[in-house]
Amino acid sequence: MTRILASIGAAVLSSLAALGRFVLFALGTVSHLFRPPFYPKELGHSLLQIGYFSLPVVGLTAIFTGGALALQIYAGGARFNAEAVVPQIVAIGMVRELGPVLVGLMIAARVTSSVAAEIATMKVTEQIDALVTLSTHPMKYLTLPRVLAATLVMPVLVGIGDIIGIMGGYLVGTQRLGFNGATYLQNTIDFLEPLDVTSSLVKGAVFGFIAALMGCYYGMNSGRGAMGVGRATKNSVVMAAILILASNFLLTEAFFSA
Amino acid sequence: MITLSNVHKAFGDNKVLRGIDLTVPKGTSTVVIGGSGTGKSILIKCILGLVEPDSGVITVDGVDVTTQPRDAFLARFGMLFQGGALFDSLPVWQNVAFRLLRGSLKRPKAEAREIAIEKLRRVGLAPEVADRFPAELSGGMQKRVSLARAIAAEPEIIFFDEPTTGLDPIMSGVINDLIREIVAEIGATTITITHDMTSVRAIADQVAMLHAGKIRWAGPIGDLDTTDDAYVRQFVSGSPEGPIETLR
């Protein structure tokens, strides 16, 4: 019995220590936002990598999800003669939930993994140590630009994802389900409220922060060798996905609880 | 002058450094030898602050390294890493001029590039190499680029971590000669980590042997072959027989 309690205690302590390290890492990253030197070129590069080059995956994810959502709502709504709500539910579903969450998860898959692998490889090959010896703070040079870029660009990606998702629903609705195009769009616009859009963009910013931060954190704390890089990459994506889903629940609760 | 007094460092149960005492006189080339995994690299990482010692004092020119402003302190150092540690995402010239493109030593881009090309020339690399990426270079060329980066800002103190590991004998000779020439030219204080005895003889003014977490022996290079220390004699001769345990 004592042994079981000891192992539970050790696991709890280890988890709390890991949480503490992560919080310190996050606070350290944010604190560099206000202390020069800054690296605008690195920020620009990260904006391009995380933002512009993620557009295809965001667009494809959103359009197929919007289309499938329209089909599901139509089929489900038909059970109680509510087929006409497809535009409204697609809009609210995409903007409030599916847009930010799916874009967040796709960014976790695409960006978190690549950031973690890149920084972990830099660590394994002593490039991080080299940065320090060249009087350059790794958090300032590597972490801050990526985290800031992801936080700034994710609301834009989510906004684009929302629009493309709604357009996916529109295409299915008008081409497959027989909706009138103008009416579909009018219903969408009429039904969406500013809070829906605001929540979507705020979620995007939070998810971007989480996705990039997890990549940087696990990369910087990677173990040695190829196995260390692989483990850092895997853990970063898993943790980013879990934190995105958990924070999505909390944000939804905060924005829309009655 | 660099001094280490009773420096200890452990990673969990693994006590890597167990009381290092070492003095590196200003303007001299000190080579630290010792078997693989004896903590040679950890030693120089402790001096640079990349690894925090558990106890002990490290001073540079009489001042405790932990009390010095970090940027100004690091600006005095250059370092050649074992694997080169070149930044994959930057072209060669930006690797060499990294320190000259940002921070307190920042210069205009054109001037920094000019200095980088001059340093590349100094290590025997043509200007055309400047715009290539590290992955496009051979191991020997990467080492030379890393050497150029280490000397680009003309630091007072340079560390070389296994500068000839993985290179063929001719390229090793080239790197050794370059290090010797550059050190003489800049007048820098250097510590070189190696277990390549050819490099030791080519580079060293004084030699220190690290064994079991302590400096086992230290002395001028001229005394290396005449010392009675059985550990040093075994290491220098490369014999499997002797007090240094080997796994077979």
Side-chain angles (χ1 to χ4, degrees), chain A residues 39 41-42 118 121-122 125-127 129-136 141, chain B residues 45 48 50 70-71 74-75 81-82 85-88 94 98-99 102 149:
Chain A
Y39 299 105
K41 198 176 162 191
E42 293 306 309
E118 184 186 2
T121 305
M122 288 183 77
T125 56
E126 295 185 302
Q127 292 178 51
D129 284 345
L131 271 180
V132 176
T133 63
L134 293 165
S135 307
T136 303
Y141 186 75
Chain B
K45 286 185 178 179
L48 286 166
L50 295 172
R70 195 87 181 113
D71 282 354
L74 287 170
F81 285 86
Q82 189 176 345
L86 297 173
F87 305 123
D88 308 321
Q94 287 188 29
F98 192 90
R99 196 171 241 165
R102 45 187 71 75
R149 183 173 70 181

Side-chain angles (χ1 to χ4, degrees), chain B residues 128-204:
Chain B
E128 298 85 73
V129 173
D131 292 315
R132 290 204 217 159
F133 282 85
E136 297 170 324
L137 306 179
S138 68
M141 288 168 92
Q142 287 186 18
K143 273 267 157 80
R144 287 203 246 182
V145 172
S146 190
L147 180 57
R149 183 173 70 181
I151 61 169
E154 306 204 340
E156 298 166 47
I157 304 161
I158 313 175
F159 294 159
F160 303 101
D161 189 1
E162 312 249 8
T164 57
T165 299
L167 301 181
D168 65 64
I170 296 170
M171 186 52 68
S172 296
V174 170
I175 296 285
N176 288 335
D177 288 349
L178 279 171
I179 290 174
R180 192 74 235 187
E181 284 170 30
I182 287 163
V183 167
E185 197 175 288
I186 301 178
T189 305
T190 68
I191 298 179
T192 305
I193 303 293
T194 187
H195 41 221
D196 173 2
M197 293 313 298
T198 310
S199 293
V200 177
R201 295 178 205 289
I203 295 170

